[in-house]
Amino acid sequence: MANLSHPSEFVLLGFSSFGELQVLLYGPFLLLYLLAFMGNTVIIVMIIADSHLHTPMYFFLGNFSLLEILVTVTTVPRMLSGLLVPHKVISFTGCMVQFYFYFSLGSTSFLILSDMALDRFVAICHPLRYGTLMSWAVCARLAGAAWAAPFLAMVPTVLSRAHLNYCHGNTINHFFCDNAPLLQLSCSDTSLLEFWDFLMALAFVLSSFLVTLISYGYIVTSVLRIPSASGRQKAFSTCGSHLTLVFLGYSSTIFLYVRPGKAHSVEVNKTVALVTSVFTPVLNPLIFTLRNDAVKAVIWGQIQRLKGLHKAL
């Protein structure tokens, strides 16, 4: 009974339903992982290296890109190894650590998105007070709170999972230690834990979503008052890339986690989880390079500089 209540390891089924064909997924997923890692790394390096990007907007973008890298590192490497090896196991401790970092980093991402929305709200609706309201001290406090709060709040959450009785086997039908599959293996009463999960979703996902919606409500109202069409277009263009990320991030996460913990279709969840852990981190650098004039100008400047160095050599 002790072994059943506390297994030494879990088996991650991943994409075993594809049988031998799952090996074919390795190449595309590896490519997406490398693109996400390199693309977000390039954004961080550009923001650090170029003084034109030393603004609150890009400070928060750098934080978000770092979070995208860490989220993919938390889940994707083990998923990739599971596509190649027959024994897809993860230790009990490793599962709890993965659970902790995945949800802590994910919650921080949403708080950073709301910080980005606040920054755009102040820049467009209160431009004369922007330097005071969004000083570096304020930005540091906002980012620090966004990182600290989820990592502290997730401690009791992961400890509660570590003390559950897992008497329905140790096979997780997912490619990482997600919440719903873990709860489905438990024979303990998880109703209180599911209520706590809902409170956490309210605190980090829905509250940040509400802040973002209110911020952009004021932004749209202010932009529509701008008399010139070019001014309106410029104001909206600075927010378009952020809104794209907001839609992708919140829609998939609300679908996955703002529901009762066990009432999930596992196969659908795996598909949607791929969006947050693989596809969105790839889209982030693409969106901010293709839709952001300042970033495109920095990239073009670096290309011209490299061409000049090449000619000089």
Side-chain angles (χ1 to χ4, degrees):
M1 289 299 294
N3 291 334
L4 288 173
S5 64
H6 195 289
S8 60
E9 61 186 25
F10 289 106
V11 178
L12 294 172
L13 291 183
F15 299 93
S16 298
S17 59
F18 286 83
E20 295 181 358
L21 294 178
Q22 65 182 309
V23 178
L24 301 177
L25 299 174
Y26 183 84
F29 284 161
L30 176 62
L31 178 62
L32 290 172
Y33 172 64
L34 294 176
L35 287 174
F37 188 88
M38 291 187 295
N40 286 286
T41 300
V42 167
I43 287 181
I44 294 171
V45 172
M46 281 196 308
I47 291 171
I48 294 174
D50 197 286
S51 60
H52 294 96
L53 302 182
H54 292 177
T55 63
M57 175 182 174
Y58 294 102
F59 169 72
F60 292 125
L61 174 59
N63 276 266
F64 188 78
S65 295
L66 176 59
L67 286 161
E68 296 284 70
I69 292 173
L70 294 176
V71 167
T72 58
V73 168
T74 301
T75 58
V76 178
R78 184 168 289 278
M79 179 190 74
L80 290 173
S81 66
L83 294 173
L84 299 179
V85 299
H87 303 292
K88 315 170 196 299
V89 297
I90 183 172
S91 68
F92 184 87
T93 302
C95 184
M96 294 298 111
V97 170
Q98 187 185 59
F99 178 95
Y100 174 74
F101 279 101
Y102 177 81
F103 286 101
S104 297
L105 292 167
S107 299
T108 300
S109 297
F110 289 113
L111 295 179
I112 291 293
L113 281 176
S114 66
D115 289 342
M116 293 169 71
L118 283 173
D119 171 71
R120 292 300 84 204
F121 162 70
V122 176
I124 293 174
C125 299
H126 302 283
L128 298 179
R129 302 173 59 196
Y130 182 73
T132 303
L133 295 176
M134 295 303 295
S135 65
W136 284 113
V138 172
C139 292
R141 284 196 290 269
L142 287 172
W147 281 86
F151 276 86
L152 291 174
M154 281 303 298
V155 171
T157 304
V158 74
L159 288 177
S160 66
R161 268 62 181 177
H163 289 88
L164 287 176
N165 291 320
Y166 296 97
C167 56
H168 294 315
N170 66 335
T171 302
I172 297 176
N173 189 6
H174 214 303
F175 59 85
F176 73 100
C177 291
D178 200 4
N179 185 44
L182 279 175
L183 293 180
Q184 288 167 358
L185 295 180
S186 174
C187 54
S188 304
D189 181 7
T190 60
S191 56
L192 186 59
L193 296 183
E194 293 178 44
F195 179 69
W196 171 253
D197 293 341
F198 181 70
L199 291 180
M200 292 280 285
L202 287 178
F204 297 125
V205 180
L206 294 181
S207 65
S208 61
F209 184 52
L210 184 62
V211 169
T212 303
L213 280 181
I214 293 173
S215 298
Y216 273 97
Y218 281 109
I219 287 170
V220 170
T221 303
S222 297
V223 169
L224 291 177
R225 292 174 183 168
I226 298 175
S228 65
S230 60
R232 290 194 299 270
Q233 183 179 0
K234 183 179 179 181
F236 276 127
S237 67
T238 62
C239 303
S241 53
H242 180 232
L243 280 174
T244 305
L245 287 178
V246 166
F247 173 76
L248 290 173
Y250 282 107
S251 60
S252 56
T253 301
I254 290 174
F255 176 83
L256 281 174
Y257 300 113
V258 189
R259 292 181 295 161
K262 293 181 180 179
H264 296 191
S265 170
V266 175
E267 294 302 325
V268 173
N269 275 15
K270 280 195 284 188
T271 303
V272 179
L274 282 173
V275 175
T276 58
S277 57
V278 178
F279 292 104
T280 302
V282 174
L283 291 174
N284 173 37
L286 290 176
I287 290 169
F288 274 97
T289 53
L290 295 177
R291 299 195 56 167
N292 192 290
D293 292 335
V295 174
K296 284 191 289 187
V298 170
I299 293 174
W300 180 248
Q302 292 299 320
I303 292 173
Q304 294 301 313
R305 190 174 72 86
L306 290 174
K307 285 183 178 179
L309 290 174
H310 179 70
K311 290 180 180 179
L313 294 174

